[in-house]
Amino acid sequence: MVQGAQKGSHLTLVLMVASAAVGGTLQYGYNLAIMNAPTAFIQTFINETFLERWDIQLEDYQVTVVWTIIVSIFSLGGFTGALIAGPMTIHYGRKKCLLLNNLFLMSAALLALTSRAAKSFEMIILSRVLTGINAGISMNVQPMYFGESAPKRFRGAASLSSAVFTAFGVVLGQVVGLREVLGGESCWQYLLASNAIPGFIQLLTLPWFPESPRYLLIDRGDEKACIDALRRLRGCEVHSSELDEILQEQAEIRGMKPSRPWELLSDRSVRWQLISVIVISSAMQLCGNDSIYFYASYVFKEAGISEDQIQYATIGTGTCELTATIMCNLLIERKGRRFMLMGGFILMTVWAVIFTVALSFQSSFSWMPYLNMTCIFSYILSFGMGPEIFKQTARPAAYMIAGSMMWLNLFFVGMIFPFIMSGLSEFCLVPFGATCLSSALFVGFFLPETKGKSLSAITREFQKLNFRDGGFQPQHQSQSYRGKECLSTAL
């Protein structure tokens, strides 16, 4: 029965969010972090494999190249996952897509687990590709599932929880990667395969929760299943206003086709929305934050931290991002996205400059390594206060572009990061600081504030940029409406 306002329990929704995130965005953070601990051990394994197979002793730079491929190929897998996530969600639904996604994860874990016995670093590479596909799919589907399942007043919190679980995954991966846990020489294959455990948890728990109500009604046309899902998620009878909203959306888009990525690229009415999403998505990776997790050992070694203390220092990086992400969730509605994003990039620029100066005087003062470490922590803390909040995706077409840019840039930075560290030495953060400064300027000049504004108001702000030469502005909704909605919602 559909009723008016009625108070209910959201326990089912909270548990559903936890179940989806444990096998979703938590995996992204976890798989970023676990690759740092076994760096030296896997590099030795690569060298031994070449020596045993082909009697070739690799030079240091050659080992580094193979290692960067192992680390960064995760991003190309993520790019592939981002491309197939949209069609999968339409065909299978949000929940079933997340469950099927674990096939990639379990296959990856099996390859990683057996790679050492098989004496094959190629199996590690393939494992990382499959892990990346899993992450690429989950990072698109999970926020979509959350946004479509949560009531309107909780949608922002539900979507932002993805960033919290990502940061928690980083910390968890760093703790599991300690030498006292699975980060020792004899256990690295178990460390790489340990990502199967969150996947198993999701497989055991997520089937008990309902599918996205919006998907059930709008995509499948099953009103009864939609009402049942809403009743379970809300813990009470369905509010008539909420069902009416979904029915209205169904009526508005009936007969319309969702915009394809290439259609958005040629649609002038969403030009600046698309530019903004692409710039911000790219800046999230070009600032180097996620690559620090890949190569934390390199970074802290350059900063002058002793070898036996590096593994504990890396946990500090993840803790900083987790703390900052939680703070950001509390501040976002008060300060607004534009303020937080611009402030985060500016602070990252400042700390990159201080880190560069500190490295230049590292040999002059015994306490300088601790200042360097503080700069790294503050750099990541600033990222969590700003850019991190945009690691959320919406509906398929627009965010296929944004997701693709994010993964491609992560691959690019991941491949060159060790060589930047060795080639630029104390100036290693200068390119990333320049990226942060440029991004802050872009946000300041072109990105409108979304705080307290409706979707239509945000769209009107962008229309002033899209048609500032006085060109034709469409008066009616077109088939690209849902693409515009996705882009405006993200910003």
Side-chain angles (χ1 to χ4, degrees):
M1 181 187 295
V2 178
Q3 296 184 356
Q6 182 178 347
K7 191 174 181 180
S9 169
H10 295 285
L11 179 61
T12 301
L13 177 65
V14 172
L15 293 176
M16 181 273 285
V17 166
S19 175
V22 162
T25 51
L26 181 142
Q27 287 279 16
Y28 173 74
Y30 188 81
N31 286 295
L32 282 180
I34 61 173
M35 291 307 293
N36 176 64
T39 298
F41 307 133
I42 296 179
Q43 287 179 342
T44 301
F45 173 70
I46 292 167
N47 225 335
E48 291 174 349
T49 302
F50 269 86
L51 196 61
E52 186 174 328
R53 285 188 194 172
W54 301 295
D55 197 29
I56 296 175
Q57 179 71 45
L58 296 179
E59 296 184 30
D60 288 346
Y61 82 91
Q62 292 173 316
V63 175
T64 301
V65 169
V66 177
W67 173 242
T68 55
I69 292 172
I70 290 175
V71 169
S72 301
I73 204 75
F74 170 75
S75 310
L76 291 187
F79 172 68
T80 305
L83 292 179
I84 66 176
M88 282 185 69
T89 56
I90 294 170
H91 187 74
Y92 295 109
R94 287 37 166 167
K95 185 181 83 169
K96 190 177 290 185
C97 181
L98 287 172
L99 292 170
L100 290 172
N101 191 30
N102 284 290
L103 290 173
F104 297 109
L105 182 68
M106 298 307 166
S107 301
L110 182 62
L111 285 168
L113 187 64
T114 56
S115 60
R116 189 169 192 170
K119 298 181 179 179
S120 171
F121 65 86
E122 297 89 347
M123 290 174 69
I124 303 177
I125 294 175
L126 183 55
S127 170
R128 291 291 289 175
V129 172
L130 293 173
T131 302
I133 293 174
N134 170 268
I137 292 173
S138 65
M139 288 192 72
N140 270 29
V141 179
Q142 179 192 305
M144 194 188 305
Y145 184 33
F146 289 177
E148 294 178 354
S149 299
K152 185 182 294 186
R153 66 184 184 277
F154 292 144
R155 277 177 203 161
S159 296
L160 286 171
S161 68
S162 298
V164 176
F165 276 99
T166 299
F168 178 68
V170 169
V171 176
L172 184 62
Q174 291 167 337
V175 171
V176 174
L178 290 173
R179 284 188 293 271
E180 296 84 348
V181 188
L182 291 179
E185 194 278 334
S186 62
C187 298
W188 61 259
Q189 70 273 27
Y190 302 113
L191 175 63
L192 299 189
S194 62
N195 54 15
I197 297 174
F200 276 122
I201 294 173
Q202 185 178 77
L203 286 171
L204 291 173
T205 57
L206 192 58
W208 298 96
F209 298 103
E211 177 57 272
S212 156
R214 280 183 134 71
Y215 170 79
L216 292 170
L217 181 55
I218 296 174
D219 292 278
R220 285 179 45 186
D222 192 338
E223 185 173 338
K224 182 179 182 300
C226 172
I227 293 173
D228 288 342
L230 284 170
R231 186 182 294 118
R232 290 181 61 192
L233 289 168
R234 306 296 180 261
C236 64
E237 292 300 327
V238 182
H239 295 194
S240 57
S241 59
E242 185 169 17
L243 186 63
D244 288 343
E245 180 192 337
I246 302 175
L247 288 168
Q248 182 181 354
E249 183 179 352
Q250 183 190 39
E252 286 176 351
I253 66 171
R254 185 175 285 120
M256 292 184 179
K257 294 181 180 179
S259 295
R260 296 179 175 88
W262 53 89
E263 292 173 341
L264 293 181
L265 290 171
S266 60
D267 187 349
R268 182 179 178 182
S269 66
V270 296
R271 180 180 298 168
W272 275 100
Q273 292 97 310
L274 189 61
I275 290 172
S276 298
V277 168
I278 290 174
V279 168
I280 294 168
S281 298
S282 300
M284 285 196 308
Q285 302 304 335
L286 294 178
C287 71
N289 182 80
D290 285 355
S291 295
I292 288 176
Y293 297 127
F294 279 153
Y295 302 110
S297 294
Y298 287 85
V299 176
F300 283 112
K301 187 176 180 180
E302 184 69 31
I305 306 302
S306 61
E307 291 281 352
D308 59 328
Q309 295 299 316
I310 286 178
Q311 64 168 345
Y312 303 109
T314 58
I315 296 177
T317 61
T319 304
C320 282
E321 183 164 342
L322 178 59
T323 303
T325 305
I326 294 171
M327 287 170 51
C328 185
N329 283 342
L330 299 174
L331 291 173
I332 183 70
E333 294 304 327
R334 291 185 179 183
K335 298 296 184 180
R337 280 176 167 80
R338 181 172 177 269
F339 175 86
M340 297 296 291
L341 184 62
M342 187 165 61
F345 277 130
I346 290 173
L347 286 173
M348 290 174 77
T349 305
V350 170
W351 286 112
V353 171
I354 296 174
F355 181 72
T356 302
V357 173
L359 280 182
S360 301
F361 291 96
Q362 184 167 292
S363 59
S364 303
F365 304 97
S366 60
W367 47 267
M368 200 58 76
Y370 300 102
L371 176 59
N372 295 334
M373 186 166 63
T374 302
C375 289
I376 295 169
F377 288 164
S378 300
Y379 188 84
I380 293 171
L381 190 68
S382 302
F383 177 84
M385 288 177 62
E388 173 70 16
I389 64 174
F390 280 84
K391 277 189 179 175
Q392 47 181 303
T393 49
R395 296 178 180 176
Y399 280 91
M400 190 179 292
I401 296 172
S404 299
M405 292 302 300
M406 187 195 83
W407 287 107
L408 288 175
N409 281 296
L410 179 59
F411 174 75
F412 171 71
V413 176
M415 285 295 296
I416 66 172
F417 195 91
F419 302 101
I420 289 176
M421 293 296 300
S422 59
L424 296 183
S425 189
E426 66 264 28
F427 302 105
C428 57
L429 280 191
V430 169
F432 304 114
T435 298
C436 294
L437 179 59
S438 302
S439 302
L441 292 173
F442 177 87
V443 172
F445 283 112
F446 298 109
L447 192 67
E449 180 55 80
T450 61
K451 178 186 174 185
K453 293 182 180 178
S454 65
L455 177 62
S456 58
I458 299 168
T459 302
R460 284 195 297 271
E461 291 283 337
F462 274 111
Q463 294 292 44
K464 294 175 184 177
L465 291 172
N466 294 330
F467 299 97
R468 57 185 168 187
D469 60 354
F472 171 74
Q473 298 189 39
Q475 298 298 318
H476 303 286
Q477 289 180 340
S478 67
Q479 289 191 357
S480 66
Y481 173 77
R482 294 190 75 180
K484 298 173 191 176
E485 178 184 283
C486 293
L487 290 162
S488 298
T489 302
L491 298 165

